[in-house]
Structure formats: C-alpha cells, structure tokens
C-alpha cells in the first residue's frame, strides 16, 4: 500500500506571500501558497498525512503583532494551520519565544496535537505529548482495506531551554535528541505503531553522536525503529545539492542511513513530500520503496488559509508602518560581512544607550556592545538585506535591525574571552593564502547573525592564519588565532582585563555557539526586547546620522591578495566602504546579486 506524508518546517509565521520589512510581495513563500499545493497532493493519494516540524509560531511581523497587540484575538497562525488541516506538529525552539502561557493559549486553539519527546515541563501540559499514533485506512494493491498505525515522535534542540532561559528556566528541561529517541521509539512501537516517523526539529550535522548536539539528524536516523525523518531548524532544503554527500547521507534521493528524509526550507518556500510503499513484514509493515522530495511552492494561494490570516495581516502592516523617526542617510547591510556597517553601529549605540540609562549600578568597567546583521544574504538569498533610504523611518526598520524578541543582557568577561569571542566571528572567513587572487572571502551557508561585531574595541582579522573555530562553531584548535592588534582605546587588550559586554539573551544562552558568551557572568537583564530599545533610541532623536564606526578590519597580506565578496543586488546603488586596500565591483545580476573584489 502507498502512504503519503506532507510536511512543512520553519514556517516562522509566514502565512501570506508578503515581506513585512519592505511591505511588498514575497512570491513563492507562505503557508497559504503551501496549502494550495497540499490540497492538490492530498487529492492524489487518499489517506495522506500532513505534519509540521516546528518553528511555526514566531518569526514574522504578523506573529509579533499578534503577540503584542492582539492577545485576546484568535492566533492567526493556528487559525491558518487549522484551515490547512494539519494532523500533528512538532515544537521547535522558536515556538517558545513568547513564553509558555502564550504557547499554551495558542495550542488550545489548535485542532492538532503538539509533540516534543525530549521536553519535560515542570507543570505538564495536556496539549503537548512526546509522540502520537495516527490511523489511516489504506487500500492494498489487491483492493482490500487495511488500517495503518503511523507513529510520529517530536524532537527539538536541547538548547531550547538555554536560548529562552528568561521564560523557561525553572519551568522546563530538555534532554538529548538521540538518547530520547532511543528511549521513546520502543515505547511508540510497543503502543502499536506500524511505522515511525521522526519529526526532528534539527539539521544535518556531524555523523557521530555527541551529547546535547543541536543538529542530530544523522545519528538519529541510525536508531532502529525509525523509518523516516522530517528535518528542519537549519532552514535547508533536502534532498538537494546544498547538502554534502557522505557514507550516511545521500542528498540526491534524500536518504540518511538509507532512510527517507526531507527538509522543506524556510517560510513556506518548500513542501516536503514522502511517498512510501509498504509491504507486510514478520511484524507489522516495512518500507520497500520511498521517494523523498522538497517541492518549491507556487504563487497561487489557498483562499481559505489567506482569509484566516487577513485580519492579523492588516494589523501587522499597520504595526510595522508606525513612524518612529528620520535618517539623514541610507541604512543598509550590503557590506556588513566585509567592513564595519552603519546599521550595526546604530544597533550598538542603541543598546549602549538603553543600558546606560536603565542600569546605573553596573561595575565601573569598559562597556562594549555586540551587534550582528540578521539580514545580510544567507538563507534569504540576494534580496535578504536591509536597504532603507534617507527619510522617514518606520517601526519595521527597528524590526529589520533586530527581528527576534530576545532581551538585552550585560555580561562581565575577561580580555581573553573578548578575543575568543572575536575568534568565533573570524570563523566566517575562509583561509586565504597570501598572494591568492580571487579567493572567496566567506564560507557559504553560514547565517550572518553568527558574525558578531564588538563595538568599543578595534581588531584585525588575519585570514592567512587558520581559524580557531569551524564555521558552525566547533572548536578546531585553541592555539589558532586570527585576531591581530586587539585594542581598547590606544592600548592592547590585556587577557586578564575585565569588560562589560552588551549582547542578547539568545547569545548568552548558547545560541550561535559562542563559548565566550556562555562563560560570561550575567550582570544585568533588560525587561525590554532589543528591537524595542532600537526603536526607542531612534524615536528619542531628531534624526539618525548613520555612520560606520571602525571596530574591525581585514588585515593586509603580503604579497597583495584579492578576495571575492558576494552581496545583494542593491549594493551597487551605494558607495562601497573602505575595506582592505580597496574594493571594486566586478559584476552584478538581478538573480545572483553583486560580486566585489577586495584587495588585502
């Protein structure tokens, strides 16, 4: 018999094909477009199951407006998912961003169960289960009808409680993905599941299991009793060419340890589709053939799903359009991974202003401010950049500068940890041989928000030296150092010196794998979200004067060396920054963006 499973992941509250940052269309995204494809594929195969793999409640202005301005109204994301007809969902880490009470209220409106096997709540919720068995009456090839019992188990990153420690500390604990599955899958089988599908809000990382690993899909797939996997969290597309093949990974046909697996992108960009052919086995059923696909969505939207989100969509647009100030110059992030950036200087200043005003009793130490660019290419493609022209500023600019509802924290760290923090940032850059011509500057596929700029010190990145950390954060060799000439004011930074560093709660909780941030001693936590601090800073000034404060640079290499830097198409309309020994535009394309050459 044939079973079809359709899956979304990392919707991040993107219901309609709309970009709330630019207030313009975002074709080929959103649950409404996915739902149209779901309905067509359901009609092809009776008994189709539809699931989501987590991170559905947070991530867009629609979700923020629903959380901040319409707490008593029905949750628009849940309403749209109910209309789509989901059978079950797993919880992802971002589904906890607005706190447990908000999550509980949202799930109370859901017509589907939520799953999280490696999450334990101090006060258990009847709305969250470790796993579930769903029954489908399917037809055998000889025409007989048989009831198939399909088990789904939900698994999320164990770091979830650290990333949202403000709301989860003392209220929830998590356990290792692989260990939890080893424990729960036999129970799921014993309860009568004929096949088991892992809804794993985790990406494809290392092949070997290590305790507490964030992206555990490969070792999870090796567990006996798991038949297929739905993946997510890293916003990738699998099967697909972006994943490296290996003994355990076949990205051409979508297999992990020989088992069918799919990862359906981000924001409703793709729909995962598993088509399984099952035959009787000694005990239950076994998969004899499988097709795994990640299908791009079209532009046609399901009208019922779109209508369910329409009131919240209108509120979100009004919320994002609220005027908060003016800027005398453009604010953009096209060069934020190649040179100091005015947008990040603005964020750093806003954070420092907020802390200075509200935390007067901090230790008398130098106050540094950490910022990162959340819209600088990466998963979002060549148009995923901030590009605000001189003139009025709306609240959406503050949201672009910091899109997540994390709070500000102040940490006390040593000079040695300060250097180590920058070593982690330096892992974004490739190793470049002196004298090389046209070497790529950046590792591909690394989110820009993991590149932290520390305002208040100056440093150079020497790309001829090997990196201390891998691009994904794993320690390579503690003796490696790319940071040169690290200074506070006119003096070299003493490893034993003490500093106060403003960052966000996500970083302090381990997000982005910045070890120095987790080692920092917490000195203060703000009640306000970072983006609200940015919005207040802009509103309190007659106008913003964007400027890039020089806090880091690419070190000169001998003999002269050139690297290639790729960025968004809008970069060509802005004057490039001073970086290296010079920068020039090589080519531009509406599809792929701009390519610059930087001389080091």
């Amino acid at each position: 018999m044939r079973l079809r499973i359709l899956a979304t992941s990392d919707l991040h509250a993107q219901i309609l094909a709309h970009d709330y940052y630019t207030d313009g269309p975002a074709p080929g995204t959103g649950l409404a477009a996915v739902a149209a494809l779901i309905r067509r594929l359901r009609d092809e195969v009776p008994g189709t199951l539809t699931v989501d793999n987590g991170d559905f409640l947070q991530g867009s202005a629609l979700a923020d407006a629903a959380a901040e301005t319409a707490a008593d109204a029905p949750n628009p994301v849940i309403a749209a998912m109910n209309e789509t007809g989901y059978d079950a969902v797993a919880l992802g880490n971002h589904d906890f961003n607005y706190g447990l009470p908000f999550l509980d209220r949202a799930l109370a409106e859901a017509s589907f169960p939520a799953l999280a096997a490696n999450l334990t709540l101090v006060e258990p919720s009847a709305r969250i289960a470790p796993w579930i068995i769903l029954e489908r009456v399917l037809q055998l090839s000889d025409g007989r009808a048989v009831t198939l019992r399909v088990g789904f188990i939900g698994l999320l990153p164990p770091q979830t409680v650290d990333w949202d420690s403000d709301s989860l500390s003392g209220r929830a604990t998590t356990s290792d993905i692989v260990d939890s599955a080893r424990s729960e899958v036999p129970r799921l089988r014993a309860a009568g599941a004929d096949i088991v599908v892992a809804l794993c809000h985790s990406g494809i990382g290392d092949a070997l299991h290590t305790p507490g690993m964030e992206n555990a899909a490969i070792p999870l797939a090796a567990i006996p009793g798991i038949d297929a996997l739905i993946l997510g969290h890293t916003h990738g597309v699998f099967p697909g060419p972006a994943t490296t093949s290996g003994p355990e990974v076949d990205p051409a046909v979508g297999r992990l340890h020989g088992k069918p697996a799919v990862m359906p992108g981000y924001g409703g960009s793709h729909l995962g589709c598993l088509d399984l052919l099952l035959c009787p086995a000694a005990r239950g059923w076994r998969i004899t053939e499988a097709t795994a696909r990640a299908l791009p969505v079209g532009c046609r939207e399901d009208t019922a799903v779109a209508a369910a989100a329409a009131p919240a969509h209108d509120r979100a647009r009004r919320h994002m359009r609220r005027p908060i100030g003016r800027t005398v110059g453009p604010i953009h992030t096209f060069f934020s991974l190649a040179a100091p950036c005015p947008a990040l200087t603005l964020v750093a200043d806003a954070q420092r202003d907020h802390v200075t005003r509200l935390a007067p009793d901090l230790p008398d130490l130098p106050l540094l401010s950490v910022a990162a660019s959340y819209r600088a290419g990466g998963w979002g493609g060549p148009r995923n950049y901030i590009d605000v022209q001189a003139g009025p500023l709306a609240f959406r600019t503050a949201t672009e500068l910091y899109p997540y509802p994390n709070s500000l924290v102040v940490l006390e760290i040593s000079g040695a940890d300060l250097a180590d923090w920058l070593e982690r940032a330096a892992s974004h850059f490739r190793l470049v041989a002196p004298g090389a011509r046209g070497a790529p500057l950046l590792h591909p596929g690394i989110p820009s928000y993991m590149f932290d700029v520390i305002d208040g010190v100056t440093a150079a990145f020497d790309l001829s030296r090997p990196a201390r950390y891998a691009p994904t954060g794993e320690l390579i060799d503690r003796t490696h150092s790319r940071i040169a000439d690290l200074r506070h004011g006119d003096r070299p930074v003493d490893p034993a010196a003490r500093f106060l560093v403003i960052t966000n709660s996500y970083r302090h909780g381990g997000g982005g794998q910045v070890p120095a941030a987790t080692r920092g001693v917490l000195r203060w936590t703000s009640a306000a979200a970072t983006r609200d601090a940015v919005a207040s800073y802009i509103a309190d000034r007659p106008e913003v004067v964007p400027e890039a404060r020089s806090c880091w640079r690419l070190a000169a290499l001998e003999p002269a060396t050139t690297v290639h830097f790729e960025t968004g198409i809008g970069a060509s309309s802005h004057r490039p920054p001073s970086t290296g020994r010079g920068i020039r535009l090589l080519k531009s394309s509406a599809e792929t963006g701009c390519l610059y050459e930087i001389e080091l």
Side-chain angles (χ1 to χ4, degrees), residues 500-560:
L500 295 179
V501 176
I502 308 167
T503 185
N504 58 70
S505 54
Y506 171 77
R507 208 47 111 226
H508 181 50
Q513 293 184 269
V514 182
T518 62
R519 293 193 294 263
V521 179
L522 182 63
R523 293 301 186 196
W524 185 77
T525 300
S526 171
T530 303
R531 63 169 170 237
D532 293 328
V534 173
S536 296
Y537 179 82
I538 294 171
D540 288 344
R541 279 149 183 78
E543 57 187 16
V544 171
V545 182
E547 61 176 350
R549 194 155 42 241
S550 180
C551 54
W552 68 276
R553 66 188 186 279
L554 299 173
L557 301 182
E558 295 291 347

Side-chain angles (χ1 to χ4, degrees), residues 135-521:
E135 294 186 351
R136 283 295 186 270
V137 177
L138 304 178
Q139 193 172 50
L140 296 175
S141 55
D142 64 6
R144 287 181 296 144
V146 176
T147 299
L148 182 73
R149 294 165 58 84
V150 184
F152 290 95
I153 180 171
L155 299 155
L156 49 70
Q159 294 80 7
T160 297
V161 291
D162 298 320
W163 295 337
D164 272 308
S165 59
D166 289 352
S167 59
L168 296 181
S169 180
R171 299 180 178 91
T173 58
T174 50
S175 52
D176 181 79
I177 289 174
V178 174
D179 290 345
S180 298
R182 285 188 182 130
S183 173
E184 292 295 331
V185 167
R187 294 189 178 101
L188 183 49
R189 287 284 186 177
D194 293 315
I195 67 168
V196 171
V197 180
L199 293 178
C200 178
H201 192 80
S202 183
I204 301 172
D206 291 340
L208 296 177
H209 173 235
T210 55
M213 65 192 306
E214 179 180 346
N215 293 306
I218 298 177
L220 178 68
I223 293 177
I226 292 178
D227 296 291
L229 301 95
I230 312 295
L231 310 176
H233 184 53
T234 56
H235 298 188
V237 176
F238 184 85
T243 304
T244 303
S245 63
E248 306 88 359
V249 181
D250 187 340
V253 295
R255 297 289 189 277
L256 298 180
H257 282 285
K259 298 175 182 179
V262 67
M263 186 188 298
Y266 164 80
S269 64
H270 292 73
L271 175 66
C273 180
L274 293 176
D275 282 313
L276 310 176
L277 193 67
L278 299 125
C279 290
R283 296 180 62 185
W285 298 82
R286 64 186 178 89
I287 298 172
T288 57
E289 294 181 22
T291 301
R293 294 177 290 168
L295 303 170
V297 305
C299 294
R300 185 171 70 87
E301 294 188 334
D302 183 275
T303 54
V305 172
H313 170 68
D314 293 337
R315 281 197 305 271
R317 293 183 71 189
R318 291 194 300 270
H319 187 63
M320 294 290 275
R321 289 171 175 173
R322 288 181 295 134
I324 59 173
R326 291 185 60 82
T327 175
V328 300
I331 300 172
H332 63 86
T333 57
F334 292 114
F335 301 99
S336 61
L337 300 180
C341 169
L344 299 191
T345 299
L346 173 59
V347 172
D349 285 345
Q351 294 178 163
R352 189 181 282 109
D353 175 78
H354 182 81
V355 170
T356 302
R357 287 187 295 104
L358 299 181
D361 298 326
L362 289 170
D364 186 18
L365 294 171
L367 184 62
L368 313 178
S369 188
V370 176
S373 179
Y374 290 82
R375 284 173 61 84
W379 296 326
R383 299 188 182 277
N384 184 40
Y385 292 84
I386 297 173
D387 190 7
V388 178
Q389 302 305 311
L393 293 176
F395 182 73
R396 64 170 172 262
T397 299
T399 306
E400 280 191 283
L401 290 167
Y402 201 95
Y404 296 100
N406 306 129
S407 58
L408 283 172
V409 299
V410 177
L411 310 177
E412 184 178 336
I413 68 170
S414 67
D417 276 338
L418 177 63
D420 190 64
W421 199 318
L422 289 171
E423 293 288 356
R424 173 67 180 98
S427 66
H428 266 65
F429 302 114
R430 289 180 181 263
L431 183 65
V432 178
R437 312 302 293 180
L441 176 64
L442 301 171
H443 287 286
I446 306 301
S448 60
Y449 64 78
M450 291 186 184
F451 180 69
D452 279 343
V453 170
I454 303 182
D455 185 89
V457 294
T458 58
F461 294 110
D462 187 340
L463 307 192
S464 68
R465 303 177 188 174
R468 180 177 297 181
Y469 293 96
T472 49
E474 294 80 10
L475 179 66
I476 297 173
D477 190 328
R478 191 168 295 282
T479 64
H480 290 173
S481 176
R482 299 180 122 182
I483 303 305
D485 197 27
L486 175 58
R487 292 177 174 270
H488 176 248
D490 296 331
R491 295 186 176 185
V493 169
D494 185 336
R498 307 299 295 178
F499 296 87
L500 295 179
V501 176
I502 308 167
T503 185
N504 58 70
S505 54
Y506 171 77
R507 208 47 111 226
H508 181 50
Q513 293 184 269
V514 182
T518 62
R519 293 193 294 263
V521 179

